Amino acid sequence: MTNPAEPVVDLETLSFEQGAHLLVQQELLGLRPGQRLGVTGADPALVVHLEVWCRAHGHRVTPALDTDFGVRAWVERGRADLDRWAGAQRAGAPGVDGIVADPPSDWGLAARGALIEVGGPQTPFDITHRDLVWAEIAPALYANAASAQWDPNTAIDWSAPVDNAPEVERAVVQVMTYLIENEQAALVIPAKLLARVHPHFREVLQLLAVQAADEARHMEVFTRRALLTGHEMGTSAVSGRESLSTLLHEAEFSMASFLLSVLGEGSFLNLLEFLDKNAPDPVTRMVTRLARRDEARHVAFGVAHLRHQATLDPDVHRRMRMAVERRYDALVDTAGLNQDVFDSLVILAAGAWTPQAIAKGYEAVMRLQSEMDDGRQRRLVHLGFSGDEAADLSALHTKNFM
Amino acid sequence: MTTLLMGAVAYDPKVVTIWGGFRSWLRARDFDFDFVLYSNYERQAEDLVEGRIHTAWNSPLAWLRTERLAKAAGRTVRPLVMRDTDRDLTSVVVVRTESAAEKVSDLKGATIGVGAVDSPQATLIPRSFLREAGLEPGNDLSVRRFDVGVGLHGDHIGGERDAARALLAGEVDAATMIDTNHLLFGREGTLPAGSTRVLAQTGKFDHCNMSVVDTAPDDLVKRFGELLLSMSYADAEVRPLLDLEGLKMWQEGRTTGYGLLETAVDEEGFYDERGTVTATEYSP
Ligand SMILES: [Fe+2]
Ligand SMILES: [Fe+2]
């Protein structure tokens, strides 16, 4: 006889080949291990398949008696599903306030706030503490970056007239060649860091991903500008590549962010502003202006992150100093900025091929370097260095600008 | 010797993952365990009885042969543990939905697709089942065998899947397979839902077991059994291995579930009573 206290689920014509287990499973969720569920339905294979499904899921099936009106088989609820989720815990909570400082490696790629089944493989992420990557401004910067993405094809009027004198056009192409090289470093470094950060810190990954996407666009527009008039690419000096290679080898997240974003991209803000101002044609102006807008965000995250670090760890200033000194030592015997790049900047600022104009251009490049120095010092002071320290450290920054 | 040595048949690469994982788990509990892999069940059964290994993860057919070989050699073997999912299985005789057959005897004169020659669930037990229903395979109906993974005692799913495909294609009138695979084929689309009908279901039988031979050191065997039985699905470390091996818990071994297969083996003359392989057309 069926006991009115025992639930019965009617699968009607639904078969186990079409998802009948969902209805059975749902009913079993409401029962305790050992309690019974009656199952009925019209599929001829119902009992055969119910047995198969239950066997695989740790439930037991007993045949219905002739007197069990309206039931084809009984399921005695097992406990495998409960055992599987017994020790499960939430991976923090989805919002920023739900971030866990030190998420376990085996949370892996699970969404923040997901219910995490215990176990699973360790993951290769080695930057796993909130304080190593976080900045309060990260979510807002990401949102801002996402809304500020532009399409290289339409944001720039590629058909605008470009009729520079040959030596000026060569200077533009040389500067673009240099920019592309630096953009490639600026893409690879956040991309490498991104792959090392525990995905629990979602906003940091998002920000780094958009930053990499920014650099991808910069690479594109600088390349298109370089090739616009059919010239060959300019030169790439060993000294420039040496400077960037020291960035590639910085393993620590904060120090990589400090050297690349605070000091390098910080200096580039001045460079891109200089190019905007001295651009000999509208396309050059537009590509450098758009890139500068993105770079300001990259610098903002670097600065905010290091500020956050400095409030948590007084030792971070010593490490920043050491990072700058180490890099200076590594580059002390190198030539610094590619002479072709320096000369090209002078030519662009000169605007004409006369002794007087060249002198003016030369002075403008001197002023650019001094503005870069000022900017770096200002940011270093903002990070908590004294004025003297800031001046010392800024002076040790690579002559390659990045 | 303080190492408990188990044999297992490498019917799939995952066997290495499973037993390698169990080995780590057991060794982490100070139990010295190792395993050797065989390419087929026949050599494993012989080696177990000869004492080259202490225990063997045996198919039901290998278990029966082990029993016979042991008896002939004056040894005894027993099933130490088995998976919860290896108890009370059934096989089914399946026809296309529109088939005129309403009962097994309606298959007289039909062609039936079965699995590999040495498959307990897809060949031996179903053939015995048909015989009991009055249809002598070969005489009253013709049998088309789908030999995939011969020597693996039906562990390879290929033969059953091929038989199912042949059924759907109209190449055979009926096919036999383990109940689990009928549902699997339905869910994966090999047999689209509603395209086939279960014409008959065999009685219940048990599948694999962990066979031990009496020459194996008692204390090691006892500890091995205790440790396996202690594996809990709530243990996150062992759960992935249980999932891979397809069980929720180990249970005590039992010999009561092999009657149908024993009958089939005798009817077919698959092994003689001393455990010699006497099946024709069987070369693992
Ligand atoms: Fe950039
Ligand atoms: Fe950048």
Side-chain angles (χ1 to χ4, degrees):
Chain A
M1 286 283 282
T2 51
N3 171 350
E6 287 178 318
V8 175
V9 61
D10 184 357
L11 304 176
E12 299 178 6
T13 59
L14 186 67
S15 74
F16 274 80
E17 295 146 313
Q18 298 168 305
H21 70 281
L22 287 170
L23 295 178
V24 174
Q25 193 166 265
Q26 180 64 23
E27 291 296 324
L28 290 173
L29 278 179
L31 302 184
R32 286 191 303 279
Q35 289 188 313
R36 294 204 314 172
L37 171 70
V39 180
T40 191
D43 177 26
L46 185 149
V47 178
V48 176
H49 289 167
L50 178 68
E51 289 225 25
V52 170
W53 183 81
C54 287
R55 195 191 295 141
H57 290 82
H59 308 299
R60 283 165 45 103
V61 174
T62 46
L65 304 175
D66 291 342
T67 50
D68 290 339
F69 178 73
V71 170
R72 290 183 61 191
W74 293 100
V75 178
E76 182 188 317
R77 193 208 201 288
R79 53 169 312 110
D81 57 332
L82 302 174
D83 284 347
R84 176 182 291 278
W85 295 102
Q89 57 171 151
R90 292 270 165 202
V96 170
D97 52 358
I99 292 177
V100 172
D102 203 3
S105 173
D106 62 12
W107 283 6
L109 295 158
R112 199 161 74 219
L115 185 63
I116 302 272
E117 179 187 353
V118 179
Q122 300 293 302
T123 46
F125 310 111
D126 66 322
I127 302 175
T128 58
H129 200 285
R130 179 187 197 276
D131 295 338
L132 294 178
V133 293
W134 194 249
E136 297 302 335
I137 198 178
L141 275 180
Y142 167 70
N144 174 271
S147 71
Q149 299 292 296
W150 41 273
D151 177 358
N153 223 18
T154 54
I156 291 145
D157 179 6
W158 295 102
S159 62
V162 175
D163 49 2
N164 300 323
E167 65 275 10
V168 173
E169 182 60 16
R170 256 196 306 278
V172 170
V173 171
Q174 177 59 59
V175 170
M176 291 298 145
T177 306
Y178 162 84
L179 288 175
I180 295 162
E181 183 168 327
N182 285 274
E183 294 299 345
Q184 294 186 154
L187 184 151
V188 169
I189 291 158
K192 274 174 72 174
L193 290 172
L194 187 163
R196 293 174 51 202
V197 175
H198 197 305
H200 184 72
F201 308 111
R202 186 182 70 223
E203 293 82 354
V204 173
L205 269 72
Q206 290 169 307
L207 188 58
L208 291 173
V210 182
Q211 183 166 332
D214 290 343
E215 310 301 9
R217 285 196 314 278
H218 301 172
M219 282 159 58
E220 178 188 344
V221 296
F222 294 153
T223 302
R224 283 175 77 167
R225 173 58 192 92
L227 301 178
L228 195 60
T229 52
H231 281 68
E232 280 191 311
M233 284 286 183
T235 62
S236 163
V238 165
S239 57
R241 298 202 303 278
E242 278 171 334
S243 178
L244 295 177
S245 126
T246 57
L247 286 180
L248 290 176
H249 291 119
E250 182 55 62
E252 203 191 327
F253 183 94
S254 293
M255 292 308 119
S257 175
F258 173 59
L259 295 175
L260 173 73
S261 295
V262 178
L263 299 180
E265 291 176 312
S267 302
F268 257 55
L269 287 179
N270 297 100
L271 176 63
L272 294 167
E273 188 183 10
F274 172 94
L275 292 169
D276 180 349
K277 200 166 85 193
N278 295 295
D281 60 82
V283 177
T284 301
R285 172 163 302 119
M286 207 55 210
V287 294
T288 50
R289 185 175 295 175
L290 284 168
R292 187 180 186 282
R293 224 182 272 164
D294 295 335
E295 293 305 337
R297 275 195 310 274
H298 307 170
V299 176
F301 175 64
V303 170
H305 169 65
L306 268 303
R307 279 264 290 188
H308 182 74
Q309 287 287 292
T311 62
L312 298 165
D313 179 6
D315 187 50
V316 78
H317 289 103
R318 189 187 60 83
R319 287 189 289 127
M320 285 191 272
R321 171 179 284 284
M322 279 178 54
V324 170
E325 287 171 352
R326 205 167 46 237
R327 189 168 182 220
Y328 173 80
D329 289 341
L331 296 175
V332 69
D333 292 326
T334 69
L337 187 66
N338 179 355
Q339 186 65 43
D340 292 338
V341 175
F342 185 92
D343 291 347
S344 297
L345 293 173
V346 172
I347 290 169
L348 293 180
W353 204 241
T354 65
Q356 216 179 2
I358 297 289
K360 191 191 81 172
Y362 194 91
E363 199 193 312
V365 175
M366 290 294 111
R367 205 161 47 240
L368 165 64
Q369 286 174 301
S370 140
E371 284 163 9
M372 286 175 167
D373 185 29
D374 289 346
R376 285 195 298 269
Q377 290 192 43
R378 208 172 50 246
R379 291 185 193 97
L380 289 165
V381 168
H382 184 66
L383 293 181
F385 287 100
S386 70
D388 287 350
E389 281 176 313
D392 287 349
L393 288 178
S394 176
L396 297 180
H397 182 62
T398 174
K399 299 292 172 270
N400 183 58
F401 304 159
M402 186 173 288
Chain B
M1 188 157 60
T2 56
T3 306
L4 184 106
L5 191 60
M6 184 198 78
V9 168
Y11 67 92
D12 186 283
K14 74 175 183 181
V15 172
V16 175
T17 312
I18 292 167
W19 288 107
F22 281 148
R23 179 175 184 264
S24 304
W25 189 90
L26 291 163
R27 290 174 77 94
R29 280 147 190 83
D30 288 329
F31 186 69
D32 195 354
F33 168 84
D34 211 344
F35 63 94
V36 291
L37 294 178
Y38 290 85
S39 70
N40 67 82
Y41 278 109
E42 305 310 333
R43 186 177 306 283
Q44 174 174 288
E46 291 154 17
D47 277 7
L48 178 63
V49 173
E50 285 167 25
R52 291 200 181 89
I53 50 178
H54 297 129
T55 169
W57 181 240
N58 262 341
S59 74
L61 190 57
W63 158 249
L64 292 183
R65 179 159 186 241
T66 300
E67 255 192 325
R68 292 177 183 202
L69 288 171
K71 195 170 170 202
R75 304 248 65 93
T76 58
V77 287
R78 66 189 171 95
L80 180 67
V81 295
M82 60 198 303
R83 302 183 298 188
D84 55 353
T85 45
D86 274 334
R87 291 176 169 224
D88 299 328
L89 314 183
T90 67
S91 287
V92 287
V93 181
V94 181
V95 293
R96 288 183 298 281
T97 305
E98 71 277 11
S99 164
E102 295 293 340
K103 51 191 186 303
V104 179
S105 56
D106 295 340
L107 291 178
K108 192 172 170 67
T111 300
I112 188 159
V114 302
V117 62
D118 57 343
S119 171
Q121 65 270 11
T123 305
L124 295 168
I125 290 174
R127 280 172 63 103
S128 174
F129 176 78
L130 292 167
R131 208 172 273 124
E132 196 179 318
L135 300 174
E136 181 59 35
N139 290 336
D140 301 309
L141 39 63
S142 59
V143 174
R144 186 159 156 210
R145 221 169 57 212
F146 290 86
D147 272 326
V148 178
V150 172
L152 302 180
H153 292 185
D155 285 357
H156 195 296
I157 195 173
E160 283 170 74
R161 189 177 273 126
D162 287 352
R165 287 192 179 122
L167 173 65
L168 195 67
E171 294 164 19
V172 295
D173 303 305
T176 57
M177 61 198 71
I178 197 163
D179 53 9
T180 315
N181 284 342
H182 184 247
L183 179 55
L184 173 72
F185 296 156
R187 294 176 71 159
E188 72 183 15
T190 299
L191 295 177
S195 65
T196 62
R197 174 157 56 84
V198 174
L199 183 70
Q201 186 175 23
T202 69
K204 291 180 190 296
F205 57 87
D206 284 356
H207 215 260
C208 301
N209 74 55
M210 182 68 73
S211 314
V212 292
V213 63
D214 59 356
T215 47
D218 283 343
D219 51 339
L220 283 184
V221 169
K222 182 163 174 287
R223 183 83 185 117
F224 184 46
E226 285 167 358
L227 282 166
L228 290 178
L229 289 169
S230 78
M231 286 181 174
S232 165
Y233 201 63
D235 172 0
E237 193 189 337
V238 79
R239 187 167 57 239
L241 298 169
L242 297 177
D243 280 341
L244 206 56
E245 178 59 7
L247 72 158
K248 297 289 182 277
M249 61 189 297
W250 293 100
Q251 297 191 331
E252 298 280 355
R254 65 181 188 187
T255 56
T256 52
Y258 299 105
L260 292 182
L261 185 59
E262 179 122 51
T263 304
V265 164
D266 288 335
E267 286 171 0
E268 303 273 344
F270 201 91
Y271 299 132
D272 72 12
E273 63 177 24
R274 297 182 60 81
T276 311
V277 178
T278 45
T280 52
E281 300 181 41
Y282 175 51
S283 44

